[in-house]
Amino acid sequence: MPKMKTKSGAKKRFRTTGTGKVVANVAHKRHRLVSKPQKMKRKARGTMVLAEGDARQVLKYMPYARG
């Protein structure tokens, strides 16, 4: 049986936690930051755990990342 392919874009952008949740960077923090509120920029600093539906989609892209 051949190995399944992993989407290379997904492996660069997402990672899984020890409990199997998917972690991603927060959006909207790359450019035009002057016009965005300070509170939004502060909340976008770290990473976030994806919602269940989005996590299912990402885990289909990374079949071997269920660790």
Side-chain angles (χ1 to χ4, degrees):
M1 189 76 187
K3 291 181 181 176
M4 295 171 69
K5 289 217 171 180
T6 299
K7 302 269 186 192
S8 4
K11 82 184 158 185
K12 292 170 194 169
R13 287 171 174 84
F14 305 103
R15 63 183 175 83
T16 53
T17 62
T19 56
K21 295 176 183 171
V22 179
V23 179
N25 288 318
V26 186
H28 310 297
K29 59 177 181 180
R30 293 287 178 208
H31 58 91
R32 291 188 55 182
L33 295 173
V34 173
S35 60
K36 291 171 185 157
Q38 187 64 38
K39 185 176 180 181
M40 180 180 176
K41 292 186 275 190
R42 213 171 29 244
K43 287 181 132 187
R45 242 175 231 161
T47 55
M48 65 175 186
V49 176
L50 285 185
E52 186 62 38
D54 297 328
R56 269 198 302 269
Q57 183 73 36
V58 168
L59 287 174
K60 280 183 190 171
Y61 292 156
M62 302 190 302
Y64 298 108
R66 296 177 188 258

